[in-house]
Amino acid sequence: MSARAIVAAVQLPGVGDAEFEASLAELRQLAKTLGFEVVDTLTQKRPSFDAAAYFGEGKREELRALVEARADLVLVDHEISPSQAHNLEKALGCEVMDRTMVILEIFHRHARSRAARAQVEIARLGYMAPRMREAAKLAGPQSRERSGVGGRAGGESQAELDRRKVRDRIAELQKELDAMHLERQTQRARRKERQGLARVALVGYTNAGKSTLMRALTGSDALVADKLFATLDTTVRALHPEGVPRVLVSDTVGFIKNLPHGLVASFKSTLDEALEASLVVHVVDASDPGFERQLAVTEEVLDEIGAKDVPRLLVFNKIDRGGDEADLRARHPGCLVLSARREGDVDRLREAIRAFFRQRLVEAELFVPWSKQDLRGEIFSSSEVLEERSEGEGTFIRVRGEPEAVKRLQERLAV
Ligand SMILES: Nc1nc2c(ncn2[C@@H]2O[C@H](COP(=O)(O)OP(=O)(O)OP(=O)(O)O)[C@@H](O)[C@H]2O)c(=O)[nH]1
Ligand SMILES: [Mg+2]
């Protein structure tokens, strides 16, 4: 049987009803992703969070009665301090998870690759460390005595020891990640050499349909799921059918409101893919009532990771489920409105991507002497051959390709 959860939140004065509701709905979706059954929602308007226990005393009692009657845990729609969490748990007599912890838990469960797992663990340790300190503080002085046995460094408390362990572990993971990062960079550089520079990254809010579009565009088998953060690793595939230039598409981790800061930092390297792309396709779920906010959050995170200046193509997806197409077009000039479920729509997106990369192509005439005919393979694979004629000392080949690819061919022929 799945755990029963109550979703609970304080509505602060500056937060409108629609925004508040959307955020609660999102937390319910997050809870569902973790396999919880959400049995109730409890909210309270307050000028600020209760400093000691997030909710005021009356609400805490109401919540406690609800928990006793029908729930196993409470999910709070804010990040709360370690002592607030601890006091709230004591008052309610059940486990309390805040929004950050819920998201971290999802990332933890969905992480597959070595890199993603290490990144999530760093973020989790960063989140847990102050909470461990809080628990140790509350455990009192006996925890200090415990550290005396076993001949550990004199006077070091259990909490200090734990803290050092956490720090060491984070440093160790970071070292691993740096090594993986370096390896990825080398791979990427090699890929660039071999396959050219036409890169497009699909980015957007979680559940917007990035992986669905990835599948449709590339014929790959990216994981698609009606879950939040189904994708944690970047995958790269060629746009299908292949053309010139060969375009590589990458699918990336989704964004969310209040993405825990530890995660923004750790997923930065994953999102390097987006930074290196020549084109960012920003996918938005047009059928979601909160899509404007989701769009804004994604733009913010893109800014934060330094992708502000990468050319953007805005794509409103899921239009088959809802959304006002005319309004979207009027308000976001140059956007595409489509459904990943309609083949014709996906063709339009593919064509828009191709058109973007075609604009950058240059034409050049290469002279290939007989002694360098072994370069023909490279010429044909890295650019489009428009015309070819043999004359005297070799062949003239007229090509169209990416500026970098053409330049590389010219350099190879010059030596
Ligand atoms: N009706 C409809 N559903 C869609 C469309 N595109 C995607 N979906 C559904 O939306 C859900 C999420 O799709 P994904 O492709 O996994 O979304 P994502 O952006 O990759 O999500 P994360 O990896 O979690 O960030 C799935 O259930 C899809 O089948 C669409 O155009 N129309
Ligand atoms: Mg995905």
Side-chain angles (χ1 to χ4, degrees):
M1 203 189 67
S2 56
R4 299 157 307 167
I6 294 174
V7 162
V10 166
Q11 184 175 4
L12 296 172
V15 180
D17 289 348
E19 187 189 339
F20 186 64
E21 274 310 318
S23 184
L24 288 174
E26 190 171 276
L27 184 60
R28 280 187 215 108
Q29 187 68 26
L30 289 164
K32 185 181 131 195
T33 299
L34 279 182
F36 297 146
E37 180 197 354
V38 177
V39 291
D40 217 330
T41 300
L42 192 90
T43 64
Q44 176 181 33
K45 284 192 173 154
R46 280 180 67 94
S48 65
F49 302 154
D50 180 76
Y54 181 66
F55 279 119
E57 201 180 335
K59 264 295 154 189
R60 288 203 295 268
E61 269 159 32
E62 198 181 319
L63 194 51
R64 185 188 179 95
L66 266 180
V67 168
E68 268 168 14
R70 55 201 297 219
D72 307 304
L73 80 165
V74 169
L75 310 177
V76 171
D77 197 21
H78 286 100
E79 181 168 328
I80 57 179
S81 76
S83 70
Q84 283 171 325
H86 183 84
N87 291 332
L88 195 55
E89 286 192 335
K90 243 178 33 198
L92 302 181
C94 75
E95 188 190 345
V96 171
M97 286 173 87
D98 68 1
R99 182 179 242 269
T100 301
M101 191 162 160
V102 169
I103 294 174
L104 283 171
E105 185 59 30
I106 294 176
F107 272 65
H108 178 63
R109 290 200 199 166
H110 290 184
R112 290 284 169 271
S113 71
R114 214 152 55 91
R117 278 218 284 269
Q119 281 159 341
V120 175
E121 198 182 335
I122 289 178
R124 263 162 60 102
L125 287 170
Y127 174 86
M128 293 312 286
R131 282 154 181 84
M132 283 163 53
R133 231 170 289 158
E134 182 67 19
K137 215 163 66 199
L138 291 158
Q142 67 272 30
S143 67
R144 184 168 282 275
E145 271 159 39
R146 248 199 304 146
S147 67
V149 288
R152 291 209 201 94
E156 203 173 22
S157 73
Q158 186 62 36
E160 280 158 0
L161 248 165
D162 288 346
R163 215 175 311 159
R164 208 181 55 200
K165 256 192 243 157
V166 166
R167 239 189 355 246
D168 288 352
R169 179 71 186 138
I170 289 180
E172 187 187 343
L173 287 165
Q174 194 56 55
K175 226 164 76 191
E176 251 178 64
L177 271 176
D178 291 346
M180 283 186 249
H181 188 61
L182 209 72
E183 194 181 317
R184 256 218 308 262
Q185 264 178 339
T186 328
Q187 275 173 2
R188 234 183 269 151
R190 227 177 287 144
R191 205 154 54 193
K192 234 181 213 176
E193 270 292 304
R194 254 194 347 252
Q195 306 174 317
L197 294 156
R199 303 286 304 265
V200 42
L202 297 166
V203 303
Y205 212 75
T206 181
N207 213 41
K210 300 178 293 297
S211 298
T212 309
L213 284 170
M214 173 82 176
R215 285 175 83 132
L217 288 170
T218 66
S220 75
D221 52 359
L223 173 68
V224 171
D226 193 11
K227 285 201 267 183
L228 302 186
F229 304 114
T231 308
L232 288 190
D233 292 300
T234 303
T235 50
V236 182
R237 297 278 182 281
L239 190 67
H240 182 86
E242 285 185 26
V244 174
R246 182 160 184 262
V247 177
L248 294 181
V249 187
S250 44
D251 182 16
T252 62
V253 58
F255 300 155
I256 195 165
K257 181 187 80 123
N258 302 337
L259 186 68
H261 255 191
L263 283 179
V264 176
S266 29
F267 277 81
K268 223 172 151 156
S269 61
T270 314
L271 286 164
D272 276 355
E273 294 285 348
L275 295 182
E276 294 218 337
S278 318
L279 175 67
V280 161
V281 171
H282 177 175
V283 184
V284 181
D285 177 354
S287 72
D288 192 302
F291 79 87
E292 293 277 11
R293 198 177 49 90
Q294 300 180 346
L295 190 158
V297 167
T298 304
E299 292 291 336
E300 264 166 44
V301 181
L302 284 173
D303 281 4
E304 208 168 316
I305 62 170
K308 199 189 176 88
D309 299 327
V310 183
R312 220 48 75 73
L313 174 63
L314 190 56
V315 170
F316 289 101
N317 187 31
K318 304 201 193 181
I319 197 67
D320 58 300
R321 274 182 66 193
D324 182 342
E325 181 163 353
D327 183 58
L328 289 170
R329 280 188 202 293
R331 272 194 295 157
H332 300 278
C335 74
L336 283 182
V337 183
L338 53 83
S339 163
R341 302 220 163 140
R342 295 185 201 137
E343 220 173 288
D345 285 14
V346 175
D347 291 343
R348 268 196 296 134
L349 174 58
R350 188 183 287 110
E351 195 34 54
I353 293 172
R354 283 208 202 287
F356 174 86
F357 286 103
R358 255 199 315 265
Q359 289 171 42
R360 308 193 320 152
L361 298 186
V362 294
E363 286 186 21
E365 185 158 76
L366 307 172
F367 177 68
V368 188
W370 299 124
S371 61
K372 292 207 170 132
Q373 292 292 317
D374 53 324
L375 286 176
R376 288 175 61 90
E378 191 177 331
I379 294 170
F380 274 79
S381 67
S382 64
S383 59
E384 184 183 2
V385 172
L386 303 172
E387 196 196 331
E388 186 180 2
R389 69 202 140 78
S390 299
E391 233 177 73
E393 311 289 297
T395 38
F396 288 92
I397 304 183
R398 198 161 176 75
V399 297
R400 177 161 54 210
E402 287 169 276
E404 297 83 356
V406 170
K407 190 163 153 250
R408 201 165 56 228
L409 290 174
Q410 284 166 332
E411 282 164 5
R412 303 271 319 250
L413 285 164
V415 290

